[in-house]
């Protein structure tokens, strides 16, 4: 397996040789590729639907793009005046569509979103066992090769703007686009990086002079970040083809620019050199690559959490996907034998090149996957899924916190309902936003799910054509078995039960009274 950095570098370089073309409605694929090949060899291409058919074309050489750009004209400005920024986004239309439409065969379109949960449940019911169901879900939801290429292209197109001001800068994706846990349709988190510039510093040691650029000085790094993002945000808003709904959120803890990138169809968040977030992405990349069960379990649990309203795309008091993923990693560290190593064990394997100290925090861990011994654990995914719900359904959240560095529960340093240590910034709780009702709802849903997996009669459910296994967990519980839940809810605060029942959308106050058992 390649290291995280090797994959990133390769994909960023690939994106620089790539263009995106909005195609005519009646498209002859062969003719299009034949024409484009006159500008240079094409490495790969695919088509996708996004308000019309688009083609992503990756050339073998960067020079081919310059050759193609020389042949491309500026749009006719009869109604609107155009901003003359020449990007790698083009529109092709047919000169005489009538003659060409006759020989047309529809092109194959790569899906850029996952199937709806209802369709997924039907597919899962045709599987042989719960483990197979989990791999089916993974295959339906994970990012495809094509979608990943599109994400790196979006970053590369933003980088073209940044380079107008900062010629050495790069724009790189981080988070779910690159950590192996992204699902189709997730946002693209990207950051503007100037760190490559520091690598030039060593070359300047020679000669009799200390030499440096004259640069504008500002009182804080935060102010510099805000100013840079403000200008790039304006630039995307004013001149960026297809960049719409640009919002500058400069007073956030981590200042960012949010925008919608219409040509690729992504919602994007742009920030500046977010080194610790990148280390977290790489850590998850390593865990995701070590064992195929890791990703299958994460995708299933995240899908389950989303269906039951335990996670949400809007920030709030619920558990985030990142916190949930860290809980799953912790659970896998606790297996006997462990399925993945602790962060301290990965740090022990680190070489000199893996040393990273960021803002006083030690963020070092091994990057070479071949240095990590494979696990001897052979548990199947159905066992792991049931045990995950069992484990957290009975976890002592009042007393214990979750620590991935050590791979064990440690006493909570403060009274947040859910305490998950930030793997790198050791004084931060990544789940500080979660309140007591949300945590208790998670516990109730975990218990309910463990109970369903333990007690269900798979054969009987299949005869009755009812969802079974993982599929049974992806149906909101209140719809079918609200009365069964009341025994497993004992010992919870009434406020929690109220919020729990709201989320289950129980129809009326009577069923609410019945379920609470008052």
């Amino acid at each position: 397996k390649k290291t995280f950095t090797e994959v990133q570098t390769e994909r960023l370089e690939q994106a620089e040789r790539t263009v995106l073309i909005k195609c005519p409605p009646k498209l002859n694929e062969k003719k299009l590729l034949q024409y484009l090949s006159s500008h240079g060899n094409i490495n790969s291409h695919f088509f996708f639907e996004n308000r019309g058919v688009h083609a992503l074309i990756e050339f073998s050489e960067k020079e081919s793009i310059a050759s193609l750009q020389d042949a491309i004209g500026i749009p006719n400005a009869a109604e609107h005046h155009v901003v003359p920024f020449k990007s790698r986004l083009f529109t092709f239309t047919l000169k005489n569509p009538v003659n060409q439409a006759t020989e047309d065969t529809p092109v194959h379109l790569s899906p850029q979103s996952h199937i709806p949960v209802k369709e997924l449940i039907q597919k899962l019911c045709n599987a042989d066992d719960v483990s197979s169901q989990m791999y089916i879900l993974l295959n339906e939801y994970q990012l495809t090769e094509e979608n990943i290429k599109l994400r790196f292209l979006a970053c590369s197109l933003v980088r073209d703007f940044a380079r107008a001001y900062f010629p050495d800068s790069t724009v790189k994706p981080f988070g779910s686009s690159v950590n192996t846990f992204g699902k189709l349709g997730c946002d693209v988190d990207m950051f503007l990086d100037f760190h490559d510039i520091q690598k030039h510093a060593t070359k300047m040691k020679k000669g009799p002079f200390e030499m440096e650029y004259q640069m504008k000085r500002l009182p804080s790094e935060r102010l510099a970040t805000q100013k840079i993002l403000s200008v790039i945000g304006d630039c995307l808003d004013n001149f960026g083809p297809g960049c719409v709904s640009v919002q500058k959120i400069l007073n956030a803890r981590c200042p960012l620019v949010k925008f919608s990138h219409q040509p690729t169809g992504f919602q994007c968040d742009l920030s500046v050199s977010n080194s610790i977030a990148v280390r977290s992405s790489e850590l998850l990349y390593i865990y995701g690559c070590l064992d195929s069960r890791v990703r299958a379990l994460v995708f299933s649990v995240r899908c389950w959490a989303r269906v039951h309203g335990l996670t949400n795309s809007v920030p709030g008091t619920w558990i985030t996907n990142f916190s949930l993923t860290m809980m799953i990693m912790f659970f896998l560290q606790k297996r006997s034998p462990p399925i993945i190593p602790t962060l301290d064990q990965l740090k022990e394997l680190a070489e000199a090149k893996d040393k990273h100290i960021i803002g006083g925090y030690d963020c070092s861990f091994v990057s070479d996957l071949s240095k990590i011994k494979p696990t001897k654990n052979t548990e199947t995914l159905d066992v792991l899924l049931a045990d995950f719900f069992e484990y957290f359904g009975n976890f002592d959240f009042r007393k214990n916190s979750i620590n991935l560095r050590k791979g064990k529960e440690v006493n909570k340093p403060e009274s947040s309902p859910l305490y998950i240590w930030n793997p790198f910034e050791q004084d931060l709780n990544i789940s500080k936003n979660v309140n007591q009702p949300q945590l208790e709802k998670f516990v109730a849903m975990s218990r309910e799910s463990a109970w369903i997996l333990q007690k269900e009669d798979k054969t009987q459910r299949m005869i009755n054509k009812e969802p079974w296994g993982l599929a049974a967990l992806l149906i909101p519980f209140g719809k079918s078995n609200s009365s069964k839940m009341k025994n497993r809810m004992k010992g919870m605060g009434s406020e929690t039960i109220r919020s729990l029942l709201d989320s289950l959308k129980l129809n009326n106050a009577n069923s609410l009274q019945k379920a609470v058992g008052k």
Side-chain angles (χ1 to χ4, degrees), residues 6 10 38 58 114-115 130-131 133 136 172 204 223 228 236 252 276 300 309 337 382 385 392 423 435 450 477 487:
E6 284 166 353
E10 201 174 286
S38 68
E58 181 208 326
H114 60 76
I115 58 172
V130 173
S131 296
Q133 287 183 327
I136 288 168
K172 299 174 184 171
M204 302 185 186
L223 187 62
I228 290 166
L236 292 170
I276 286 186
S300 291
D382 51 334
L385 184 68
F392 280 114
N435 66 12
F477 296 149
N487 297 330

Side-chain angles (χ1 to χ4, degrees), residues 15 45 106 127 146 163 231 308 319 350 382 410 458 464 480 483-484 501 506 511:
H45 76 282
E146 291 83 7
R163 286 204 170 168
V231 170
H308 297 294
I319 297 173
D382 51 334
V410 290
K458 176 186 159 188
N464 297 350
S480 54
S483 55
K484 292 181 197 163
L501 295 176
L506 288 183
S511 52

Side-chain angles (χ1 to χ4, degrees), residues 218-470:
L218 292 167
S220 72
E221 186 185 1
R222 181 175 171 83
L223 187 62
T225 296
Q226 289 169 326
K227 282 181 181 287
I228 290 166
L229 284 175
S230 180
V231 170
I232 305 260
D234 284 342
C235 202
L236 292 170
D237 200 9
N238 293 318
F239 310 139
C243 294
V244 298
S245 310
V246 180
Q247 282 176 287
K248 298 191 288 187
I249 306 168
L250 302 180
N251 290 322
R253 191 175 78 88
C254 177
L256 76 153
V257 173
K258 277 176 121 45
F259 62 98
S260 177
H261 191 253
Q262 282 181 332
T264 56
F266 293 125
Q267 291 297 322
C268 304
D269 285 1
L270 173 68
S271 51
V272 169
S273 328
N274 199 336
S275 313
I276 286 186
V278 177
R279 294 303 282 161
S280 297
S281 305
E282 179 164 2
L283 177 65
L284 284 174
Y285 170 84
I286 288 172
Y287 284 149
C289 291
L290 284 178
D291 192 293
S292 65
R293 291 170 293 178
V294 177
R295 295 175 63 237
L297 184 61
V298 169
F299 275 79
S300 291
V301 172
R302 277 188 179 186
C303 184
W304 163 86
R306 192 66 194 265
V307 164
H308 297 294
L310 296 170
T311 55
N312 200 308
S313 51
V314 186
T317 55
W318 27 78
I319 297 173
T320 62
N321 267 330
F322 182 59
S323 292
L324 188 58
T325 305
M326 288 305 186
M327 289 168 85
I328 300 164
M329 296 305 141
F330 180 73
F331 165 76
L332 293 172
Q333 291 174 343
K334 297 275 297 174
R335 301 310 285 169
S336 181
I339 291 178
I340 56 173
T342 67
L343 185 48
D344 279 348
Q345 288 165 341
L346 293 178
K347 186 183 160 183
E348 278 165 33
L349 296 170
E351 301 171 64
K353 66 175 169 51
D354 298 323
K355 287 272 174 275
H356 284 269
I357 309 289
I358 302 167
Y361 297 104
D362 191 344
C363 303
S364 312
F365 55 84
V366 66
S367 58
D368 181 349
L369 290 154
S370 64
K371 296 257 188 316
I372 306 166
K373 284 199 179 81
T375 176
K376 292 191 165 60
N377 181 304
T378 56
E379 289 174 299
T380 55
L381 272 170
D382 51 334
V383 170
L384 292 173
L385 184 68
D387 281 7
F388 171 83
F389 293 128
E390 184 77 29
Y391 179 75
F392 280 114
N394 296 297
F395 189 88
D396 189 353
F397 286 108
R398 278 169 307 196
K399 183 171 141 248
N400 290 330
S401 66
I402 290 168
N403 189 321
L404 280 98
R405 268 197 146 354
K406 312 241 174 305
K408 59 179 189 217
E409 303 106 344
V410 290
N411 283 342
K412 269 197 215 179
E414 47 99 343
S415 64
S416 295
L418 175 61
Y419 197 105
I420 304 171
W421 296 73
N422 183 313
F424 302 114
E425 297 173 88
Q426 279 284 281
D427 43 3
L428 293 181
N429 170 14
I430 61 171
S431 51
K432 203 175 172 58
N433 62 307
V434 179
N435 66 12
Q436 192 64 31
Q438 286 298 327
L439 177 64
E440 289 186 12
K441 181 176 165 185
F442 170 77
V443 170
M445 294 299 183
S446 296
R447 286 179 187 174
E448 178 68 5
S449 301
W451 189 86
I452 289 173
L453 289 174
Q454 223 172 6
K455 295 280 183 286
E456 78 169 6
D457 180 345
K458 176 186 159 188
T459 322
Q460 192 52 50
R461 293 192 77 113
M462 287 177 89
I463 293 166
N464 297 350
K465 294 207 166 22
E466 289 174 353
W468 57 274
L470 177 60

Side-chain angles (χ1 to χ4, degrees), residues 27-94:
L27 174 69
N28 182 312
E29 181 175 353
K30 202 170 150 199
K31 274 198 174 145
L32 176 72
L33 296 176
Q34 214 172 351
Y35 170 71
L36 291 169
S37 299
S38 68
H39 293 281
N41 188 36
I42 295 171
N43 255 6
S44 72
H45 76 282
F46 67 87
F47 295 93
F48 66 99
E49 165 64 45
N50 170 27
R51 309 174 185 210
V53 174
H54 288 67
L56 180 141
I57 310 285
E58 181 208 326
F59 286 105
S60 309
E61 307 288 333
K62 231 171 140 175
E63 291 68 39
S64 307
I65 295 179
S67 160
L68 178 60
Q69 281 174 322
D70 281 346
I72 286 180
I74 293 204
N76 184 355
E79 297 157 48
H80 306 281
H81 192 72
V82 294
V83 173
F85 177 78
K86 295 177 180 171
S87 70
R88 286 176 283 143
L89 298 166
F90 313 127
T91 301
F92 281 26
T93 43
L94 294 172

